[in-house]
Amino acid sequence: MPANKDPFVCSLSGGLPHEFLGLVQAGATQAIKIGEICYWNGTYWVPVSAVAHHRYPLAIAKEEQKAAGRSELTGSRYIRFYALHPDDVFEFEIDAARSLAVGDTFTLTASNSQKLTYSAGAFAVAVNVDFGHYPQEEDTTIQNQSYARVAFNPACSYWGWKMSQGMRSGRRVISVSANETLAEADMYNTLILFTGAATATLPAVKPGMDAIFVNTTGDDVNIDPNASDKFRLDGALLDDGDKLSNTTIGHWVQVLAESADGFVAIAPVGTWTDGS
């Protein structure tokens, strides 16, 4: 059963947490505890109950909606929520104790709206930002812990959802004219233009990677995954390390992180083949 527990720790910018007032159902229909991760179902904010609820805007209840009590505190009303700004840090129990590194990623937990589940390959709802458990002396062993201090992914937060309605940041543009190994940072929300015959070698797959590759010259171009990663192209799963190849101007393909095993190529325009 959920218990009242405020998970807010601090703001990385040193300010106050980002909050808003969200509409909830009457407590007799849906009680909400402080600290529950909730999603917007189109009408009300309700606690998450499925991993796939990351598809909807997420927020954390800062106020309780009681199941019973004084009517003015249990009817359908607006209560305070944390908007999950990327600067805001929260502490949550995790599914199993582990030595968390900064950058480790988490999904929602279907059975518990106050717990996160570690996952290296699934869509990242939150990321570990805590290094207080790192060794302080001549040691490299990171201590195990049963909780994580995390920042939430703006792509699935209320803050990111509302900001994206009024402000579109677009994609960064990267030009590749010769063989180049892309950095991890190059693989998030980017438009990568091949401007000459070249092979773009990808870093190891990480959750949330999303890049569009365009052949702008008609040269022989290749997208080469990490040796242990693979592409899913037109429904077929290629072998580890197999490239995507193209030789026609204007053809493009979007590459998204699918799992810890690699990427899926979606909406390919033109002919992208298994370059082996």
Side-chain angles (χ1 to χ4, degrees):
M1 293 290 292
N4 285 319
K5 182 181 180 182
D6 192 328
F8 177 74
V9 176
C10 67
S11 171
L12 295 176
S13 59
L16 296 174
H18 296 72
E19 303 176 18
F20 69 99
L21 290 172
L23 184 62
V24 298
Q25 300 173 83
T29 302
Q30 180 63 73
I32 298 176
K33 293 291 188 180
I34 297 170
E36 286 198 87
I37 304 172
C38 298
Y39 75 99
W40 176 248
N41 69 7
T43 306
Y44 299 105
W45 288 93
V46 296
V48 299
S49 57
V51 174
H53 283 160
H54 69 241
R55 295 169 53 198
Y56 306 96
L58 301 179
I60 296 173
K62 190 182 179 181
E63 186 177 347
E64 182 181 11
Q65 173 69 327
K66 295 179 180 294
R70 293 182 295 167
S71 60
E72 67 269 23
L73 296 179
T74 60
S76 177
R77 65 190 181 109
Y78 287 90
I79 68 172
R80 293 176 299 162
F81 286 89
Y82 291 112
L84 307 188
H85 186 281
D87 279 350
D88 294 342
V89 178
F90 301 89
E91 183 175 286
F92 278 94
E93 181 184 358
I94 57 176
D95 59 317
R98 59 183 299 111
S99 56
L100 291 172
V102 170
D104 280 351
T105 54
F106 303 91
T107 64
L108 298 173
T109 303
S111 59
N112 193 324
S113 58
Q114 292 177 304
K115 181 184 290 188
L116 295 171
T117 296
Y118 169 78
S119 176
F123 177 81
V125 168
V127 59
N128 181 53
V129 296
D130 181 28
F131 52 82
H133 57 296
Y134 274 53
Q136 301 297 309
E137 299 178 355
E138 293 182 1
D139 186 11
T140 59
T141 302
I142 302 175
Q143 297 176 18
N144 273 22
Q145 54 185 15
S146 57
Y147 63 89
R149 290 189 172 185
V150 302
F152 279 80
N153 186 346
C156 55
S157 73
Y158 173 83
W159 182 88
W161 175 53
K162 295 303 290 184
M163 288 298 292
S164 67
Q165 292 181 24
M167 180 175 64
R168 302 291 179 178
S169 60
R171 288 179 178 265
R172 292 182 300 126
V173 178
I174 297 172
S175 294
V176 176
S177 59
N179 292 350
E180 183 173 340
T181 298
L182 300 179
E184 179 182 339
D186 294 332
M187 289 297 294
Y188 297 99
N189 197 36
T190 49
L191 179 64
I192 299 173
L193 306 179
F194 283 109
T195 57
T199 294
T201 301
L202 307 188
V205 66
K206 293 289 182 63
M209 286 183 168
D210 172 5
I212 295 175
F213 293 82
V214 184
N215 187 341
T216 69
T217 60
D219 288 308
D220 184 3
V221 303
N222 299 275
I223 308 170
D224 188 12
N226 185 276
S228 60
D229 292 334
K230 60 189 70 177
F231 284 114
R232 185 180 299 278
L233 175 65
D234 295 331
L237 195 60
L238 308 186
D239 292 332
D240 281 348
D242 279 7
K243 305 178 183 70
L244 295 183
S245 299
N246 181 270
T247 58
T248 306
I249 188 170
H251 288 187
W252 62 269
V253 63
Q254 186 171 8
V255 170
L256 302 176
E258 180 181 42
S259 69
D261 294 326
F263 303 89
V264 60
I266 66 170
V269 172
T271 304
W272 291 85
T273 60
D274 179 358
S276 299

